[in-house]
Structure formats: structure tokens, C-alpha cells
Amino acid sequence: MKVKRNADMTAAKIRSKLEELADQDAALFAGRFFKTGPGQYGEGDLFRGIRVPVLRKIARSFADTPLQEVLELLHSPYHEDRLVALLLLMHRFSGAEQVGREKIYELYITNTCFINNWDLVDISSPHIVGRFLFQRSRSPLYTLAVSSDLWERRIAITATFYFIRQGEFEDTLAIAGELLDDREDLIHKAAGWMLREVGKRDMAAEERFLLQHYRRMPRTMLRYAIERFPEEKRLSYLKGEL
């Protein structure tokens, strides 16, 4: 894939490239996979049917797209367009100085209504929200954790993946505790996943949390959290025998 000249770095050019690569059959499959039917979590989302590795290549080839053009792309009704926009934001954030990172973070936080499916959240929140807040107050995460918006709550817990990778678990455990009574299965999965990631690095830290909460944890959250436990211990948690 050829690198585009700066003059070609526009939302319109990116959309044109994505339109060329659209696959109707793959789009129909993606629509079912990401639950876009009436009343489902992705209701109304539109897909072009382009695989993520291809989207990553497109993002690399348009890496110098101006921020305003990226924002326009993020506002697209098409899922893949928004994913490319997030990949571009991640790239820009990684290479930016403090002021540039703050601008991208604020853009992200004020546009969460367009970061509205689990893959969009998971691919971006650790690299932008988590990385930005790592050496700052974590209070914005606790605000997101009690949001009425499903995706903002998911951002709150998955952003802490960046902290986990740096060996810090306190906020992950605290936010997972805030989400114990959440009604959404997608939150249970995300919190359980983050607890499992804590356990990969510090099993004792995860188990202290589990021993305090496992009897009231949503079943999905618990299953995700203990997925890598030895079978005997895993069954003991599931049976409530600890």
C-alpha cells in the first residue's frame, strides 16, 4: 500500500479507500456478530465488511491525517471508519508531546458516543485514556464507571489495562468492585478479563479480590476472572466452596 501525500490525508480520501474495500457479505456477518439488531447493544451500527488487519494498514498509510479530519472520520456512521479514526488517534497520541496528548485525550472523552462498541473501546481505551491518566488523577475513570452509558463504563475498566501492564492493580480492582452490580454482560466480561490480567501478574492480588467478592460477582465476571485457574480451584470458586 503506497504512502499518501499530505494533501491526500483527508477523511474523504480515507472513506473512499474504505468504500473500495467494502464486502457486502462480510458486512452482513459483522452486523450479526456485533449485535446490530433492534434492542441489541450495537443497534443501528453500519459495517463495510473490512477486516481489522486491513484497517490497520490503512491507518498506517494515512498516519499524518490532520486531527480535524480524524474527528470527522470518527463521526462516521460506519464502524470501520470509526475504528480507523481511533487507530489514527492512538498513533498521534503515541508520538505527541504533553499538550498534544491532552488534546487527543479530551477529544476522545468528549466523543465517547462514537466509541460505541466493545472492539472500539477495547482497542483504544488503554492506549489513550489509560496512558494519559497513568501519571495523573484517576478520578475520571471513577466518573466513567458510574456513567449511564454502557461504553463509558467499559472504557473505565478497560483503560486500566495500561496500569496493569505497568504493574499497578489498585484502580482495576477498585473499579471492578464498582461494577459488581452492573446489569450488562459486556461489563461483566470486561471486568472479569481485567481481573484475569491482574492474576497473570499477581495471583495473590486477584485472589484477595475474589475471596472478598466472588459469592456476589456476576457469573460471567467470575468465569472470565478464573479462566486460567487450576481446574480444582476454578470449580471451588464456581461451587462457592472457598
Side-chain angles (χ1 to χ4, degrees):
M1 187 175 291
K2 295 180 179 179
V3 176
K4 305 291 188 295
R5 301 189 308 275
N6 286 340
D8 290 333
M9 300 289 177
T10 66
K13 289 287 185 179
I14 298 172
R15 284 197 300 268
S16 178
K17 182 64 179 177
L18 293 169
E19 287 167 1
E20 291 175 10
L21 296 169
D23 181 318
Q24 185 176 6
D25 291 337
L28 290 172
F29 174 82
R32 292 191 296 270
F33 181 77
F34 285 101
K35 308 298 184 185
T36 61
Q40 295 182 312
Y41 61 75
E43 180 177 358
D45 205 355
L46 301 176
F47 285 82
R48 297 190 188 276
I50 307 170
R51 297 179 63 194
V52 172
V54 176
L55 298 175
R56 288 187 181 277
K57 288 181 181 179
I58 291 171
R60 287 195 294 270
S61 70
F62 285 92
D64 295 329
T65 303
L67 203 55
Q68 190 58 40
E69 297 290 329
V70 176
L71 180 59
E72 181 180 335
L73 193 66
L74 184 61
H75 291 178
S76 170
Y78 284 94
H79 191 99
E80 290 91 343
D81 300 23
R82 301 197 302 280
L83 181 51
V84 170
L86 291 168
L87 292 170
L88 289 169
L89 288 178
M90 289 159 56
H91 171 77
R92 292 288 290 272
F93 185 94
S94 181
E97 300 295 333
Q98 181 176 341
V99 173
R101 288 186 174 187
E102 184 171 3
K103 184 176 182 179
I104 293 168
Y105 166 79
E106 292 295 340
L107 185 153
Y108 188 100
I109 290 298
T110 57
N111 285 275
T112 54
C113 58
F114 300 101
I115 309 168
N116 56 351
N117 216 311
W118 58 264
D119 62 320
L120 303 179
V121 170
D122 296 356
I123 203 169
S124 61
S125 62
H127 299 286
I128 295 178
V129 180
R131 190 171 179 180
F132 181 77
L133 295 177
F134 182 61
Q135 295 181 320
R136 295 172 174 82
S137 168
R138 314 290 170 79
S139 61
L141 296 181
Y142 292 86
T143 300
L144 291 170
V146 296
S147 169
S148 61
D149 183 80
L150 160 65
W151 307 117
E152 289 191 346
R153 300 199 304 279
R154 187 157 175 130
I155 287 169
I157 188 65
T158 58
T160 69
F161 201 177
Y162 187 85
F163 308 161
I164 295 170
R165 287 168 170 161
Q166 314 311 312
E168 290 193 12
F169 314 129
E170 181 179 349
D171 291 291
T172 302
L173 299 174
I175 292 171
E178 292 284 340
L179 297 173
L180 286 172
D181 296 321
D182 202 283
R183 295 181 179 181
E184 296 287 347
D185 195 57
L186 283 169
I187 298 300
H188 305 163
K189 290 177 179 178
W193 168 31
M194 290 301 103
L195 290 170
R196 185 173 72 237
E197 292 297 330
V198 169
K200 288 180 183 178
R201 296 154 177 86
D202 188 338
M203 180 64 77
E206 182 188 3
E207 286 217 70
R208 283 194 296 272
F209 179 92
L210 292 176
L211 288 172
Q212 182 179 357
H213 298 295
Y214 82 98
R215 292 183 185 276
R216 61 174 286 219
M217 286 173 69
R219 203 66 168 173
T220 298
M221 187 187 298
L222 179 60
R223 286 186 180 278
Y224 271 59
I226 63 176
E227 188 176 81
R228 293 176 176 268
F229 280 24
E231 183 67 9
E232 184 176 353
K233 180 177 286 189
R234 192 181 68 82
L235 290 175
S236 293
Y237 273 107
L238 291 173
K239 294 176 181 178
E241 295 176 347
L242 290 171

